[in-house]
Amino acid sequence: MKKITLSVIKADVGSIGGHTKPSEKMLAIVRERVKDAVSRQLLFDGYVSHTGDDIALTMTHGRGNDAPEIHQFAWETFLLATKEAQKSGMYGAGQDLLVDAPAGNIRGAGPAVAEITFTRDPQSKDRPAEAFLVFFADKCGPGAYNYPLYSVFCDPMHDGGLLLNAKMRKGFTLTIIDMDSKDNDRIISLDVPERIWDAAVLLQNPDRFAIEAVHSRFASHEQIASVSATRLHNIAGKYTGKDDPVAILRTQGMFPAPEEIVEPFMLGHFVTGDARGSHVMPIMPVAINTAVAGPYCLPLVSALGFSMDANGIFSTEYVDFFGNVAWDATRLKIQQKAEEWRKQGFIGPTMASHAELSYTGIVDALAELEKEFVTRGGKMSTAYPSPSVA
Ligand code: 13P
Ligand code: MG
Ligand code: MG
């Protein structure tokens, strides 16, 4: 029996020719650091990937959630990659490292963090094997997982396992975070299926509310899901790049199966993000280590499936779910959906909501225009002020 923490920490610290992908040199530095951390037993295991311009560390260790040594290791690793990015003239070097030197835990300092701690027990009656999925998204906010997670944990139309598995039929507790709360975390716990409509009322607004965690209501109330749900604009006070969230989902047995969890991604649901983080576009499932090169930065998501031995070793092999041919038709459909949608340009819902845009330069443009507004005498009048003659 062993306590294992799964930590996924991701940051954008620079990329080639725009917000596309980190350089091979940056990735090599990060891989070397992870290898070294495994050999000096800071980590049980670690795997390095990128999705678009974000570098992700997927790690196992025995130090629990929010462990300062692990968070500092990730921070220092991103700093080294930043140095390389600066040296080679990469775009946006150090973009997501928003504070000077975070003490301990780096949650709220810029990088996306998702973590779950559990007991790995090959003799366990309920969970003799540990399988899990990690999602890595680029060019979108943390609410991007609202639609798929609601579908998986609340809707048997998407997840037949809710009807077929007696342990899943006990339901789940969703922890939803109010991402507008800047100083303290505001969270609400809702038991589903009893409160799916209450959950829906909140999740309708993915710019403000996101599912942060899901726990089973069967037996030991194990944590199934963790999502990095922090907003960079709350930390920086302005738009500095999109949040680009990661998510961990433990799968199989008493939890949803990977094939149920990836099903909602066939839709290409609309998310806030893409170009300048200021538009609405469908999210496309792609292979791991894909660069962003589409028009308006079509938001991307990758999904890796892992198994873990009794010592937390997982990285020797994995399954790249969205890299499979089964997703080719979905990708084409989503590309076409995006093209249709983009024809509307900036008018209304194709651009992000005004709450989101309030961290961008449009605020200054609106303030300038504000000065030119005049109040017309009568409400019903159609008289226009005569143009001033020089
Ligand atoms: P990232 O958040 O992935 O850096 O993208 C920012 C952006 O503005 C793309 O247009
Ligand atoms: Mg970037
Ligand atoms: Mg990014």
Side-chain angles (χ1 to χ4, degrees), residues 266-298:
M266 277 202 302
L267 176 65
H269 58 288
F270 286 110
V271 299
T272 311
D274 41 88
R276 300 179 190 278
S278 303
H279 297 82
V280 172
M281 285 277 263
I283 190 164
M284 180 185 275
V286 295
I288 195 69
N289 301 326
T290 295
V292 167
Y296 270 68
C297 298
L298 199 56

Side-chain angles (χ1 to χ4, degrees), residues 9-164:
I9 307 187
K10 173 158 154 314
D12 175 352
V13 289
S15 46
I16 310 170
H19 294 276
T20 58
K21 57 166 278 193
S23 70
E24 286 308 321
K25 273 191 182 166
M26 291 163 68
L27 288 165
I29 288 167
V30 174
R31 287 197 179 105
E32 200 45 51
R33 284 266 303 172
V34 168
K35 205 168 130 197
D36 175 65
V38 173
S39 68
R40 60 190 169 88
Q41 293 175 357
L42 175 70
L43 303 177
F44 297 147
D45 202 358
Y47 173 77
V48 178
S49 60
H50 78 88
T51 300
D53 56 8
D54 307 320
I55 300 179
L57 315 180
T58 301
M59 304 171 283
T60 48
H61 55 90
R63 291 156 204 259
N65 287 20
D66 302 321
E69 318 87 290
I70 302 298
H71 283 224
Q72 286 300 318
F73 164 74
W75 185 267
E76 281 153 24
T77 302
F78 290 133
L79 277 180
L80 285 177
T82 299
K83 253 197 191 147
E84 166 51 37
Q86 281 163 339
K87 201 170 95 198
S88 308
M90 295 292 114
Y91 184 69
Q95 179 184 286
D96 285 353
L97 308 184
L98 295 177
V99 305
D100 275 343
N105 182 348
I106 62 169
R107 223 179 271 266
V113 182
E115 297 186 305
I116 303 183
T117 297
F118 51 86
T119 303
R120 180 77 185 89
D121 177 8
Q123 311 310 324
S124 156
K125 177 167 63 54
D126 293 321
R127 201 136 177 94
E130 186 62 43
F132 63 96
L133 275 174
V134 184
F135 288 90
F136 311 88
D138 188 32
K139 310 290 181 261
C140 59
Y145 295 115
N146 284 3
Y147 166 73
L149 292 180
Y150 181 87
S151 302
V152 171
F153 292 101
C154 304
D155 186 355
M157 283 292 189
H158 288 278
D159 181 357
L162 300 174
L163 311 181
L164 300 170

